[in-house]
Amino acid sequence: MNIVRNYQKELDKIIEQITKDDSKKGQRLLLHSCCAPCSSYVLEYLRQYFRITVFYYNPNISMEPEYRKRVEEQKRLIAAYNTQEQKGYPIEIIEGDYEPAAFYEITKGLEQCPEGGERCFACYELRLHKTALLAKEGAYDYFSTTLTISPLKNAQKLNEIGERLSKEYGIPWLVSDFKKKNGYKRSIELSAEYDLYRQDYCGCIYSKQERERIKQEKSQNENP
């Protein structure tokens, strides 16, 4: 029988241990971020317990102007959060290389996969592998990702990949399902509060094409 894990409860237990042990407060977390809106709640939540370095590495974003716009929004949000010293530890950021060729290489043969399937899993792997490697090099206490906040992302698969890479690199993986406890709802509120740039697709060309197709079908159904 497959046991469905509650990753949010597992994270709650880790945070409870941190709050009870002063030696664990302010441990260093390398947090992969897909975009400012998704990171908004995660940073607000975790900066109370961890010294976070955001790792912005997203080679899946197909067009460079889109990539640049998203990374600048990430930096703007972090700068705003860092003015609120009373709300948690200061946040740092590392901008990874923009290398869309790496994304196209690992998704060869998966171009026609539906969104949320094997192509997305390969993309998770690419981004988390780079995060784990950097966490190892930087001797971080944990690594994790903001991706689990999205209702469109597979939290179970993300945690499976993270835990496997944790064993490979010897860096603890911080389990998560950030959409829980109204996390996704809070990210929408924070996005409005900080006037963050949002898009309705993950960033890759395949996701963009899927969204455009859905919009076109919806328009045709509404205006037959």
Side-chain angles (χ1 to χ4, degrees), residues 88-107:
Y89 295 103
I91 302 164
E92 298 181 353
I93 182 168
I94 297 173
E95 182 182 349
D97 295 330
Y98 177 54
E99 44 188 15
F103 170 75
Y104 288 119
E105 179 63 28
I106 59 100
T107 57

Side-chain angles (χ1 to χ4, degrees), residues 77-119:
L77 176 65
I78 290 172
Y81 275 13
N82 282 341
T83 65
Q84 305 164 355
E85 296 180 10
Q86 76 281 6
K87 293 190 177 181
Y89 295 103
I91 302 164
E92 298 181 353
I93 182 168
I94 297 173
E95 182 182 349
D97 295 330
Y98 177 54
E99 44 188 15
F103 170 75
Y104 288 119
E105 179 63 28
I106 59 100
T107 57
K108 279 183 179 178
L110 302 173
E111 294 87 350
Q112 302 306 315
C113 286
E115 191 173 355
E118 291 299 324
R119 186 183 64 246

Side-chain angles (χ1 to χ4, degrees), residues 59-62 100 102-128 147 152-154 157-158 161 201-211 213-214:
N60 57 304
I61 300 177
S62 302
F103 170 75
Y104 288 119
E105 179 63 28
I106 59 100
T107 57
K108 279 183 179 178
L110 302 173
E111 294 87 350
Q112 302 306 315
C113 286
E115 191 173 355
E118 291 299 324
R119 186 183 64 246
C120 292
F121 297 165
C123 184
Y124 300 166
E125 178 91 27
L126 172 65
R127 291 185 277 178
L128 291 182
L147 284 166
L152 299 176
K153 300 295 186 292
N154 188 317
K157 178 60 68 172
L158 284 160
I161 294 171
Y201 68 100
C202 78
C204 80
I205 188 63
Y206 311 113
S207 175
K208 189 173 189 294
Q209 291 170 346
E210 178 72 4
R211 288 293 182 272
R213 182 186 65 78
I214 291 172

Side-chain angles (χ1 to χ4, degrees), residues 186-199:
R186 179 60 178 156
S187 74
I188 294 174
E189 294 170 352
L190 288 165
S191 294
E193 180 179 338
Y194 289 92
D195 192 27
L196 297 177
Y197 170 69
R198 293 179 66 94
Q199 267 292 4

Side-chain angles (χ1 to χ4, degrees), residues 41-205:
Y41 163 72
V42 181
L43 293 174
E44 179 186 63
Y45 173 35
L46 294 184
R47 69 178 297 205
Q48 304 169 68
Y49 313 105
F50 299 94
R51 296 186 184 274
I52 301 172
T53 297
V54 167
F55 180 42
Y56 190 88
Y57 176 69
N58 297 293
N60 57 304
I61 300 177
S62 302
M63 292 144 288
E64 188 165 359
E66 180 71 18
Y67 172 88
R68 296 297 169 197
K69 190 166 187 177
R70 294 192 190 197
V71 75
E72 289 307 317
E73 282 294 87
Q74 182 72 80
K75 292 175 180 178
R76 183 171 70 86
L77 176 65
I78 290 172
Y81 275 13
N82 282 341
T83 65
Q84 305 164 355
E85 296 180 10
Q86 76 281 6
K87 293 190 177 181
Y89 295 103
I91 302 164
E92 298 181 353
I93 182 168
I94 297 173
E95 182 182 349
D97 295 330
Y98 177 54
E99 44 188 15
F103 170 75
Y104 288 119
E105 179 63 28
I106 59 100
T107 57
K108 279 183 179 178
L110 302 173
E111 294 87 350
Q112 302 306 315
C113 286
E115 191 173 355
E118 291 299 324
R119 186 183 64 246
C120 292
F121 297 165
C123 184
Y124 300 166
E125 178 91 27
L126 172 65
R127 291 185 277 178
L128 291 182
H129 186 274
K130 186 76 78 168
T131 308
L133 178 61
L134 186 60
K136 176 71 172 180
E137 292 173 348
Y140 285 83
D141 297 297
Y142 291 94
F143 74 105
S144 194
T145 181
T146 64
L147 284 166
T148 65
I149 199 168
S150 170
L152 299 176
K153 300 295 186 292
N154 188 317
Q156 180 178 341
K157 178 60 68 172
L158 284 160
N159 281 289
E160 287 175 358
I161 294 171
E163 290 179 330
R164 174 165 46 79
L165 291 171
S166 173
K167 292 177 181 177
E168 181 178 342
Y169 287 98
I171 297 293
W173 165 255
L174 191 69
V175 297
S176 73
D177 192 354
F178 292 121
K179 69 179 70 66
K180 302 293 187 181
K181 298 175 72 170
N182 288 319
Y184 180 67
K185 179 176 180 289
R186 179 60 178 156
S187 74
I188 294 174
E189 294 170 352
L190 288 165
S191 294
E193 180 179 338
Y194 289 92
D195 192 27
L196 297 177
Y197 170 69
R198 293 179 66 94
Q199 267 292 4
D200 61 355
Y201 68 100
C202 78
C204 80
I205 188 63

